[in-house]
Amino acid sequence: MNNKITDISKFLSYVLRHQPESIGLLLDKEGWAVISELITCSIKEGYKLDNNIIFNIVDSSDKKRFTISEDGLRIRAAQGHSTQQVDITYIEKVPPCFLYHGTAIRFIFSIREQGLIPMSRKYVHLSSNKDTAIQVGQRYGKPVLLKIEALNMYDQGFKFYQADNGVWLTERVPYLFIQE
Ligand code: HQG
């Protein structure tokens, strides 16, 4: 990814996950923005987007952060939302035996007390892949990998969902199900 694409991708993450109102954009409950409206609303932020640029970013996103609707007219962030405008109806799924969460070592004392909580987002984000989880944890400092007893949680009534891009979501993870 070149810098310009990374820059636009970060901008799209910001408006599609966190602050659509900052550019006067409306998302529906499922997180969709009309692409033509996104293009218009982005002009005042100095972004000259078009369909090609947007589709290119969607295709090249390493984590498949964005999804285009089947009719090709709308775009949404697959996961990671904090905006109250959005409450995606994710499909419930049976998780694998273990899932992983990467975090920073400095958060571990609080996690031991509270378990994993969504913080500013709507869900705790989990990965089926250890390397991905470590990379996620590295964003906040020296990382630590946590192994989550996902199937055990599921068997005890906790719900799991999988976003369009494969990221696993759950509302919280009590410390009881976390292996350090
Ligand atoms: C931590 C990225 C203290 C949690 C990634 C994490 C992901 C606690 C941080 C997606 C805690 C929240 C989400 C507790 C949780 N006490 N700290 N009780 N419970 N935490 O960014 O999972 O690149 O909201 O461990 O790939 O790091 O943006 O969540 O360190 O899929 O597309 O609080 O964001 O995607 O941080 O990352 P975040 P996350 P993108």
Side-chain angles (χ1 to χ4, degrees):
M1 263 201 206
N2 68 38
N3 279 336
K4 191 165 168 249
I5 288 193
T6 307
D7 183 43
I8 299 171
S9 176
K10 284 188 176 163
F11 168 70
L12 292 183
S13 287
Y14 179 70
V15 297
L16 294 175
R17 287 173 172 171
H18 307 301
Q19 298 281 336
E21 64 279 8
S22 69
I23 59 165
L25 182 67
L26 259 182
L27 308 182
D28 71 14
K29 207 90 190 118
E30 296 297 325
W32 297 110
V34 175
I35 293 175
S36 60
E37 289 175 13
L38 170 65
I39 292 172
T40 308
C41 290
S42 301
I43 293 171
K44 54 181 172 293
E45 293 298 309
Y47 290 94
K48 277 194 200 159
L49 306 181
D50 59 32
N51 276 4
N52 277 345
I53 294 174
I54 291 174
F55 291 157
N56 182 21
I57 285 169
V58 172
D59 286 343
S60 61
S61 166
D62 50 351
K63 292 180 179 168
K64 305 227 171 303
R65 292 183 176 89
F66 311 105
T67 311
I68 300 288
S69 60
E70 277 179 20
D71 59 12
L73 298 176
R74 293 168 300 152
I75 183 171
R76 75 176 177 189
Q79 34 65 222
H81 299 82
S82 64
T83 171
Q84 299 298 322
Q85 285 188 28
V86 175
D87 188 10
I88 296 182
T89 18
Y90 290 110
I91 311 290
E92 252 189 86
K93 242 180 132 174
V94 182
C97 204
F98 296 106
L99 286 168
Y100 299 91
H101 179 90
T103 189
I105 275 181
R106 65 195 160 94
F107 297 151
I108 203 69
F109 300 102
S110 163
I111 291 171
R112 282 178 189 148
E113 280 178 8
Q114 301 181 314
L116 286 169
I117 54 177
M119 308 300 274
S120 65
R121 306 193 199 242
K122 286 189 180 295
Y123 295 95
V124 172
H125 286 53
L126 303 170
S127 172
S128 55
N129 176 292
K130 287 184 193 175
D131 292 338
T132 305
I134 291 169
Q135 280 168 27
V136 170
Q138 259 161 1
R139 289 152 52 245
Y140 294 114
K142 195 170 168 7
V144 56
L145 182 69
L146 305 178
K147 188 172 176 180
I148 312 300
E149 295 174 12
L151 190 57
N152 191 4
M153 279 180 69
Y154 176 84
D155 287 341
Q156 298 194 39
F158 290 83
K159 291 182 176 157
F160 284 80
Y161 311 92
Q162 208 173 12
D164 301 337
N165 60 355
V167 170
W168 285 89
L169 306 168
T170 193
E171 272 160 21
R172 66 191 179 94
V173 180
Y175 187 69
L176 159 78
F177 300 104
I178 298 176
Q179 299 176 15
E180 283 185 41

